[in-house]
Amino acid sequence: MASFNVNAARAQRLEALGRTWSFELDGDTFELPTELSRATAGGLRLLDDDDVDGLLKLLMGEEQFARFAEHEITMQDIGAILNAYGQETGLALGEG
């Protein structure tokens, strides 16, 4: 029996999804990763459940988050972004 090839499975996922998932806000484009590293997952575990800014900063990085923070955005908008992100990448964040 052949062993499971992690590299091949990762390559298939990245081919299907790409390395980033993007969304547009007021003509500005932002990207979130389609794969989370163990370090990022560890950072997520350290966040409080209601730390939306911490979640977005961790996923976007400092520079993108700074641009994002300049926009007027509601919690409903953020919920819609995270919902679409989860549906399209299989990563469920900010729920519960």
Side-chain angles (χ1 to χ4, degrees):
M1 181 193 309
S3 62
F4 178 71
N5 186 322
V6 174
N7 294 335
R10 180 185 303 135
Q12 283 181 325
R13 285 191 313 270
L14 292 175
E15 184 177 327
L17 293 173
R19 291 201 175 275
T20 60
W21 178 86
S22 63
F23 67 93
E24 187 177 315
L25 173 63
D26 300 330
D28 202 354
T29 301
F30 300 92
E31 294 182 342
L32 302 177
T34 57
E35 299 267 313
L36 297 183
S37 68
R38 288 182 62 231
T40 300
L44 290 172
R45 283 192 297 275
L46 297 175
L47 296 174
D48 289 335
D49 289 343
D50 60 351
D51 188 356
V52 176
D53 285 348
L55 169 66
L56 293 171
K57 188 181 294 185
L58 188 62
L59 293 174
M60 290 180 174
E62 296 282 338
E63 184 179 314
Q64 274 197 108
F65 182 76
R67 282 190 299 115
F68 180 80
E70 293 175 1
H71 294 272
E72 288 293 324
I73 189 163
T74 67
M75 291 305 295
Q76 290 81 359
D77 293 333
I78 292 170
I81 291 165
L82 293 177
N83 185 48
Y85 178 61
Q87 287 180 348
E88 293 182 33
T89 66
L91 297 169
L93 301 170
E95 296 178 0

